[in-house]
Every structure is written in structure tokens, then in C-alpha cells.
Amino acid sequence: MSPDDDEYIGYVLSDVARLIRTVFDRRVRDIGLTRAQWLVLTRLYRRPGASQTELADMLEVDRASAGRMIDRMEKNGWVERRSDDGDRRINRLYLTADARRAHKAMWSIAEATVDDALAPLSATERDQFTRLAARVKGQLQSMAGANGS
């Protein structure tokens, strides 16, 4: 197998990730979410109280871009900023009740998207795929010095 082969593992992994995001984007658009919004919802749901800098790192964007996203989502009533108890220069970010409801609806769509994507696999193959992908993720996190995402 060579890097110009469509079945090269690097291409397959990249294409699977891209395609699942594309399908999911189309599906959540029906409930009014953009990719930027669902990414913020997902990250803050998993890490409530993250700072703007931490959110920017999780989203792999600069702080200014994250700030603009947060401003828009705060204006729309999805995110609230709260002062950090230990450092008043830092604002902690939390989802509002409306955002948590949107996340719940989004999560149902995510589960359906994954189920549809994995439909060609048997239950045993799905379990095996999940375990193997988790092991690869762990290895990559170790190599990158990452704990979380």
C-alpha cells in the first residue's frame, strides 16, 4: 500500500472524520446550529468553566476568534461568562439552559449519525472498532502530551 492509494490508513481516517462532520453538519443545520456553534457546545458541555484561552486551545483557533464566537453565543443566550474566583482577569464559560437543551437535541443527532455511519458493521465489529480506535487515540495523546480531547 502506498500513500497515493485511497485505502492508505491515513487517508481513510482523515476521510472518515471529514465525512462524519459533513453529514453531522447537514443534520444539525436543521435545528439551527453551525459547525462553530456545535463545537463550542460540545467542548463546554465536556469542560464547563473553561476559560476563553482553554476553549480556543480545544477548538484549535486563536483567542480572538474564540472571543468572537463566545460573544455571538453569549448575545444569543447560549453561553454565559462568570468571573474566576481566584483571578478576576479570567472569565469562566458555561452553557445556559437553552444551550444544554440544544446540546441534548444535537446529541441525539450525533448518535443517529454514528449509528448510520457504522451500519455496515456488526455489533461485534463496532465494539472492536471502538476499542481499537480508542487505543490509537491513547497512543496519539501520549505522543502529543495531551490528556483530554
Side-chain angles (χ1 to χ4, degrees):
M1 188 125 348
S2 69
D4 57 350
D5 188 332
D6 280 344
E7 291 185 7
Y8 179 69
I9 188 69
Y11 294 149
V12 171
L13 291 173
S14 179
D15 288 348
V16 166
R18 179 183 50 80
L19 288 165
I20 204 160
R21 279 191 309 273
T22 299
V23 170
F24 182 69
D25 281 346
R26 289 179 186 152
R27 291 178 175 188
V28 296
R29 199 175 303 137
D30 291 341
I31 62 170
L33 290 175
T34 65
R35 180 176 291 185
Q37 290 170 323
W38 70 253
L39 284 168
V40 170
L41 288 177
T42 301
R43 298 308 189 265
L44 290 180
Y45 183 84
R46 292 178 71 191
R47 295 260 327 269
S51 69
Q52 180 174 318
T53 300
E54 291 166 339
L55 181 64
D57 289 345
M58 288 184 271
L59 297 173
E60 299 178 346
V61 299
D62 60 70
R63 284 180 46 196
S65 296
R68 287 188 296 274
M69 272 189 271
I70 295 161
D71 288 344
R72 282 191 303 272
M73 292 186 77
E74 184 178 39
K75 182 179 172 189
N76 292 330
W78 291 56
V79 172
E80 63 181 44
R81 288 177 165 107
R82 298 182 200 159
S83 295
D84 182 280
D85 292 336
D87 186 343
R88 287 189 288 167
R89 296 171 297 174
I90 297 173
N91 285 311
R92 298 289 170 187
L93 305 170
Y94 296 89
L95 297 179
T96 64
D98 284 346
R100 286 191 299 279
R101 280 190 290 279
H103 183 272
K104 185 176 181 178
M106 181 186 80
W107 189 252
S108 295
I109 294 168
E111 288 180 317
T113 303
V114 169
D115 282 346
D116 291 345
L118 298 179
L121 304 179
S122 70
T124 302
E125 289 170 325
R126 285 180 185 212
D127 290 342
Q128 185 178 27
F129 180 75
T130 301
R131 283 193 313 278
L132 293 171
R135 283 177 42 199
V136 171
K137 177 183 173 181
Q139 172 67 12
L140 289 167
Q141 286 173 321
S142 204
M143 292 166 57
N147 302 341
S149 353

